[in-house]
Amino acid sequence: MRVVLASERPQVQNLLMDVVEEEPGAVVVGQADNATKAFVMVKNLRPDIAIIDSNLPYSVGLDAVALSRMSGLDAAQTICQTISGTRVVVISNLDTQVLPGVSLSRDSQAFFSRERIGGNTAFKLQELYDEMTPSEAPVFANVEVEAWPSRKQEND
């Protein structure tokens, strides 16, 4: 399964890459740092899934200067409407829950989750890919990071 990631922040791209690469058969084929690049990259690479940070900036003309701070939702909706075969996941909690400063360690794991009746449910990208049709709207999801119990706690 081929995946494109889109976030302006390298630490978010690295976290998302870690989560994606935990899944068997998933490979990151491209990374974009703004909405325009994300759309062009998805259009050219035709990945199975595009994972987009909801706070992705939209740059017009100048890559170095973000002229507006529109949501990554614009890129996600455009991809859904114009590029068949690519499923889009919009990650909405990266600023509030996951960042700043979170990185995976030996004692933690990260995974994708989405709201369902009864609470948040973890999901794998392959499951999401299998259940969706190409014309659907983006899926809104979160990245959850959980610490595993330390070895000392396990022995107590």
Side-chain angles (χ1 to χ4, degrees):
M1 178 176 21
R2 298 163 27 91
V3 179
V4 165
L5 305 176
S7 177
E8 72 175 321
R9 296 168 292 183
Q11 68 269 35
V12 170
Q13 289 181 359
N14 291 337
L15 177 64
L16 293 173
M17 184 176 296
D18 288 344
V19 177
V20 168
E21 290 180 346
E22 285 294 316
E23 295 201 28
V27 61
V28 174
V29 295
Q31 296 183 51
D33 61 4
N34 68 51
T36 304
K37 288 180 183 176
F39 176 74
V40 170
M41 188 172 289
V42 170
K43 184 177 177 185
N44 290 334
L45 295 176
R46 302 288 180 166
D48 300 305
I49 295 181
I51 299 173
I52 299 176
D53 182 346
S54 66
N55 294 309
L56 187 68
Y58 184 85
S59 295
V60 178
L62 302 172
D63 287 338
V65 179
L67 300 178
S68 67
R69 297 290 299 178
M70 291 172 32
S71 171
L73 183 58
D74 295 314
Q77 289 176 323
T78 302
I79 291 167
C80 285
Q81 293 169 356
T82 61
I83 302 172
S84 63
T86 296
R87 281 60 169 191
V88 180
V89 178
V90 177
I91 305 295
S92 57
N93 73 327
L94 293 170
D95 281 337
T96 59
Q97 190 166 344
V98 175
L99 291 178
V102 170
S103 61
L104 295 180
S105 69
R106 291 180 335 143
D107 299 327
S108 65
Q109 72 173 20
F111 55 91
F112 296 111
S113 72
R114 59 183 166 168
E115 281 190 37
R116 295 282 198 182
I117 296 173
N120 283 358
T121 304
F123 68 90
K124 298 285 187 188
L125 292 176
Q126 187 64 52
E127 295 166 357
L128 181 71
Y129 182 79
D130 291 343
E131 76 182 36
M132 293 179 62
T133 60
S135 62
E136 289 190 44
V139 169
F140 291 88
N142 294 316
V143 173
E144 308 289 338
V145 178
E146 286 185 355
W148 291 337
S150 69
R151 293 182 194 268
K152 183 179 182 209
Q153 288 176 333
E154 290 175 358
N155 294 329
D156 291 342

